[in-house]
Amino acid sequence: MIAKFSRGMIAFYSAVTSFLMMILILFSYLYASGKNNWLLEVFQIKLFFIPIIFHLLIVSLMIGLAIFLLISLFRNRQYAPIEEKLRLLSNGDIDSPILETPIPHAQENRLVEDVDRDIRKLQAKMKTMSSELQQLNARPQLVDGSTKEEILEAERHRLARELHDSVSQQLFAAMMMMSALNEQAIRNDAPEIQKKQLAMVTDIINASQSEMRALLLHLRPVTLEGKSLKQGIEQLLKELETKIKISLKWDIEDFNMPSSIEDQLFRVIQELLSNTLRHAKADELEVYLNRIEHNVLLRVIDDGVGFDVDNQKAGSYGLMNIRERVSAVGGTLKIISFKNQGTSIEIKIPLLKEA
């Protein structure tokens, strides 16, 4: 805002100065020509049937506009590279060669040169922090002789087993009983309102079974177990296709990355799939995993009900886990969601050269 105001003021003062100078020159000419009433002559002298003073005003405005454009071009030439570098840093592209390239003609402006130097220092610090985060995440964190992941997996496995042996079996039994009641109602030609009520209860039980399948999929401690990340994700998606009525589309690129990042990404995908199945009510789901230069890019897109991104309570627990896992490997998370228009989640994790 300050830069735009300064440019406007400079252009305004330039236009006013140009106008005054041209008026002074015109008055000098009229004085040298022996004219007595200078002010009246300014309005009487016409060019293309328009008093010359209006021509001088238009020329002054054009001079001011030209100066404004020249200043804008000069500033864009100086500050556009800085904006590009800051954008790369905010997006997590800390290994981009653009960040390491000095800004052309930076030595001509001490401020630009200092900012460019600070950006390179910030890049180096971010790379160091990301590397340290990834190394720290790769080390097992022991609690009473067991790693944190082992404790979590054991507890999730216990919950999944109890849910499967109790609630899931009861839902299955209830579904079988409802099927029998529906058939009996049809044979006995029961009232239409009774049939509708039975159908409504059947739909509720069926929805509960789908919810239970999603919960069991989320709780079951699935690991890569020696498979590549591509193989693990595709196996998870194919298994999902057989259990849930949803259209799946995926494009998973196979490339090497540190095992700590692979494990975190796999668990993030499990969490995202679980959230989609339990909350999104989506008919279609797309999963993309690609390597873009020195970054891993994961995108998960659905056509579900969406949610308010600014509302911290909307899917907060699952999203909090995802944010923690992404932050643990120095990545960034971007969420775009609109009510009844679906959700797009993009995760970018740097693959550092040192890794």
Side-chain angles (χ1 to χ4, degrees):
M1 181 63 68
I2 294 176
K4 292 181 180 179
F5 180 75
S6 300
R7 281 179 290 177
M9 290 303 296
I10 293 173
F12 174 75
Y13 288 132
S14 299
V16 171
T17 303
S18 301
F19 180 73
L20 293 176
M21 288 182 63
M22 286 187 288
I23 287 292
L24 181 60
I25 293 172
L26 181 60
F27 281 176
S28 300
Y29 170 75
L30 294 175
Y31 175 77
S33 301
K35 303 291 184 179
N36 294 325
N37 197 343
W38 303 339
L39 185 59
L40 184 61
E41 289 290 337
V42 167
F43 288 95
Q44 287 180 344
I45 300 176
K46 296 184 178 180
L47 183 63
F48 300 113
F49 306 103
I50 299 174
I52 194 169
I53 190 171
F54 292 107
H55 288 281
L56 298 181
L57 181 61
I58 293 173
V59 171
S60 301
L61 292 175
M62 292 179 64
I63 291 174
L65 178 61
I67 291 176
F68 180 84
L69 293 175
L70 287 174
I71 294 174
S72 300
L73 290 173
F74 176 75
R75 290 194 173 180
N76 287 338
R77 174 174 169 267
Q78 285 193 319
Y79 299 128
I82 293 178
E83 293 176 358
E84 175 66 14
K85 289 189 174 187
L86 292 175
R87 185 188 64 81
L88 290 171
L89 286 178
S90 65
N91 289 339
D93 297 328
I94 57 178
D95 252 333
S96 173
I98 296 177
L99 292 171
E100 300 173 358
T101 304
I103 295 177
H105 311 291
Q107 64 276 6
E108 298 175 4
N109 188 319
R110 180 65 181 272
L111 176 61
V112 174
E113 187 177 13
D114 291 342
V115 172
D116 189 29
R117 188 184 306 110
D118 291 339
I119 289 176
R120 288 199 293 270
K121 290 180 181 178
L122 182 59
Q123 178 202 12
K125 290 181 179 179
M126 291 180 67
K127 291 175 67 174
T128 302
M129 290 176 61
S130 295
S131 178
E132 290 175 352
L133 278 173
Q134 293 177 8
Q135 291 174 9
L136 182 62
N137 183 68
R139 299 172 188 165
Q141 302 177 19
L142 298 180
V143 180
D144 295 334
S146 301
T147 66
K148 178 182 176 182
E149 292 296 339
E150 289 173 346
I151 295 173
L152 289 174
E153 285 187 6
E155 183 64 17
R156 292 168 74 152
H157 184 72
R158 183 186 67 80
L159 290 172
R161 184 175 60 251
E162 291 183 359
L163 285 173
H164 181 270
D165 294 343
S166 57
V167 182
S168 184
Q169 296 297 333
Q170 291 172 6
L171 285 173
F172 179 76
M175 192 64 187
M176 296 298 295
M177 292 175 63
M178 288 304 304
S179 297
L181 287 174
N182 282 323
E183 292 179 0
Q184 186 177 357
I186 294 173
R187 286 197 306 268
N188 297 337
D189 195 18
E192 192 65 27
I193 186 171
Q194 183 178 349
K195 292 181 181 179
K196 289 182 178 180
Q197 291 173 342
L198 289 173
M200 185 182 301
V201 175
T202 302
D203 291 340
I204 293 174
I205 296 176
N206 189 38
S208 299
Q209 279 188 312
S210 298
E211 175 77 8
M212 182 57 61
R213 293 192 193 101
L215 284 170
L216 292 175
L217 179 70
H218 175 65
L219 289 172
R220 191 180 56 186
V222 178
T223 59
L224 289 175
E225 297 176 349
K227 298 185 291 290
S228 68
L229 183 59
K230 174 183 172 67
Q231 293 171 334
I233 295 175
E234 289 182 342
Q235 179 181 343
L236 192 65
L237 292 172
K238 289 175 182 177
E239 183 179 355
L240 188 63
E241 264 187 326
T242 62
K243 295 185 176 180
I244 306 294
K245 291 183 179 180
I246 188 171
S247 174
L248 292 177
K249 179 182 178 181
W250 66 81
D251 180 16
I252 311 298
E253 187 178 341
D254 195 8
F255 54 91
N256 294 325
M257 70 180 79
S259 59
S260 59
I261 296 180
E262 280 191 339
D263 292 338
Q264 292 288 26
L265 271 178
F266 188 64
R267 297 184 185 281
V268 163
I269 290 173
Q270 284 182 286
E271 190 83 45
L272 288 173
L273 292 179
S274 175
N275 284 351
T276 300
L277 296 177
R278 292 161 57 197
H279 305 298
K281 300 179 182 179
D283 296 321
E284 297 181 2
L285 177 65
E286 301 177 20
V287 180
Y288 302 98
L289 180 69
N290 305 98
R291 175 169 182 164
I292 309 297
E293 295 181 349
H294 300 291
N295 296 280
V296 180
L297 183 63
L298 170 66
R299 289 183 297 145
V300 178
I301 306 168
D302 68 63
D303 64 345
V305 296
F307 63 95
D308 184 2
V309 179
D310 296 328
N311 183 1
Q312 298 298 323
K313 294 182 179 179
S316 58
Y317 183 73
L319 290 177
M320 181 178 67
N321 289 339
I322 293 171
R323 284 193 177 95
E324 289 177 355
R325 292 188 180 278
V326 173
S327 298
V329 288
T332 57
L333 172 67
K334 182 188 296 183
I335 303 174
I336 300 174
S337 184
F338 299 98
K339 287 292 185 69
N340 302 318
Q341 296 185 33
T343 301
S344 172
I345 296 180
E346 180 180 294
I347 294 171
K348 184 181 292 184
I349 299 175
L351 290 177
L352 303 179
K353 297 175 182 178
E354 294 82 5

